[in-house]
Amino acid sequence: MVPSKDIRNIPRATHPFLDRSVGRLLLYWIWLWPAVGFWAADRLLRVIRLVYYNLHVRTNVGKSIQYTQSSATYDEASDVIRLEVIPGSSRLQPTPGQYYYLYQPFRFKGWENHPFTLGSWSYETGLPTSQIKTPSLAKDDNTVDVTQVPLLSDSSSGSRTPQEDVPSLDEPQRLRLVFWIRPFDGWTRHLRQQCVQSHGRTLDTTILLEGPYGEQFPLWEYESILLIAGGTGIAAAVPYIQDHLARCSSTDEAESPTRIQNIHLVWTSRQEAFVREVATRELSSALARDDFRASFYVTSATAARDSDACSTLREELSGKAIEVGHGRPDLQALVLGHAHEAQLSDCSAAVLMCGPPAMADEVRTAVYRTMRQGYQGVRYIEESFSW
């Protein structure tokens, strides 16, 4: 008979490959779950941010839910979608340098989002009638407090009808954000197709905002400003122009200081229709000022053959400090001339650039060469974009 042995004392057979696999799996899980946790927390915070800035429950003017409203208009001549968004929340404070992630939730890929620079903003007065609730008198309430009924019903008694007792509601201001979108592929092409299929090429859709992101550069600390934009890069320049107008019209110089003495906008665009639209709308107030001038350049081959297009633009903006030309501007000469004039006037100079990468490289090189020629006081700011 074989003597019995305690099986607990028998060493287990181990496999080297199995041990290494288990160790790698444990190490894999240790590094995986923290990443999953960070990703889930990021998505949760972004969802909360979406709800916070796109839904607002009003309690001061009746109980109602105010949500983000938007409309997109496609202009075939300029090949640009003008997206106007009225945020549901009144907590947004637009400033230059901001960009937002845009969602179109009610589509197959509603989770997709794309960043776009804030091009312009304005405040409008008015509320939809569905969001205003006025007090009404109960029809079945026949109870009357006779102590409040005047003995005389003429005008000297100071009595008021029930309609006059209804308090007047001050209409709040609604913020309207404007984005300029150049349709290419994917979501932007799909949005263009939706606009084309809509009446008047205007689509009333639901666009959600996530943001704002970005930082504002203190351009008001410089005296001579050169803004260079290419195509939809005008979206980075217009907010700084609006900020300058707001600071100049502010009565409190301590809260809104500015040292800007002159602004020169140089904008290159392929389509003349896009230049006309922005110049007659967002830039109309600035073009009427003495401290602002603009140079527009149309680069399309059609505009080069047809000189009447630019002539029409000059006529529409006649009497204002503008220059309209064909082709691409000499950026080196513009930057050098701007720095030279600022030095003669003993002013600090800044150059802000927003456009395609090739154009940004050209402006950056022009600023570098200008500084090498002795103009060391030029500050260069770049708002680059792609896609």
mmCIF file of all heavy atoms in Angstrom, residues 18 109 130 220:
data_model
loop_
_atom_site.group_PDB
_atom_site.id
_atom_site.type_symbol
_atom_site.label_atom_id
_atom_site.label_comp_id
_atom_site.label_asym_id
_atom_site.label_seq_id
_atom_site.Cartn_x
_atom_site.Cartn_y
_atom_site.Cartn_z
ATOM 1 N N LEU A 18 2.155 30.641 -19.641
ATOM 2 C CA LEU A 18 0.888 31.007 -19.019
ATOM 3 C C LEU A 18 1.086 32.100 -17.983
ATOM 4 O O LEU A 18 0.297 33.044 -17.886
ATOM 5 C CB LEU A 18 0.249 29.776 -18.385
ATOM 6 C CG LEU A 18 -1.122 29.986 -17.729
ATOM 7 C CD1 LEU A 18 -2.129 30.469 -18.763
ATOM 8 C CD2 LEU A 18 -1.595 28.695 -17.073
ATOM 9 N N LYS A 109 -25.389 60.511 -37.463
ATOM 10 C CA LYS A 109 -24.152 60.662 -36.698
ATOM 11 C C LYS A 109 -24.232 61.926 -35.850
ATOM 12 O O LYS A 109 -23.412 62.831 -35.967
ATOM 13 C CB LYS A 109 -22.943 60.712 -37.630
ATOM 14 C CG LYS A 109 -22.722 59.428 -38.419
ATOM 15 C CD LYS A 109 -21.480 59.536 -39.293
ATOM 16 C CE LYS A 109 -21.238 58.252 -40.070
ATOM 17 N NZ LYS A 109 -20.020 58.350 -40.929
ATOM 18 N N SER A 130 -44.841 82.308 -27.460
ATOM 19 C CA SER A 130 -45.128 81.075 -26.733
ATOM 20 C C SER A 130 -44.408 81.010 -25.404
ATOM 21 O O SER A 130 -44.763 80.213 -24.549
ATOM 22 C CB SER A 130 -44.726 79.864 -27.581
ATOM 23 O OG SER A 130 -43.340 79.918 -27.873
ATOM 24 N N TRP A 220 -6.187 95.463 -27.716
ATOM 25 C CA TRP A 220 -6.443 96.859 -27.377
ATOM 26 C C TRP A 220 -5.234 97.533 -26.721
ATOM 27 O O TRP A 220 -5.238 98.748 -26.539
ATOM 28 C CB TRP A 220 -7.644 96.943 -26.444
ATOM 29 C CG TRP A 220 -7.451 96.209 -25.148
ATOM 30 C CD1 TRP A 220 -6.865 96.687 -24.005
ATOM 31 C CD2 TRP A 220 -7.819 94.859 -24.863
ATOM 32 N NE1 TRP A 220 -6.847 95.728 -23.026
ATOM 33 C CE2 TRP A 220 -7.434 94.585 -23.522
ATOM 34 C CE3 TRP A 220 -8.436 93.853 -25.600
ATOM 35 C CZ2 TRP A 220 -7.651 93.358 -22.921
ATOM 36 C CZ3 TRP A 220 -8.651 92.628 -24.991
ATOM 37 C CH2 TRP A 220 -8.271 92.385 -23.679
#
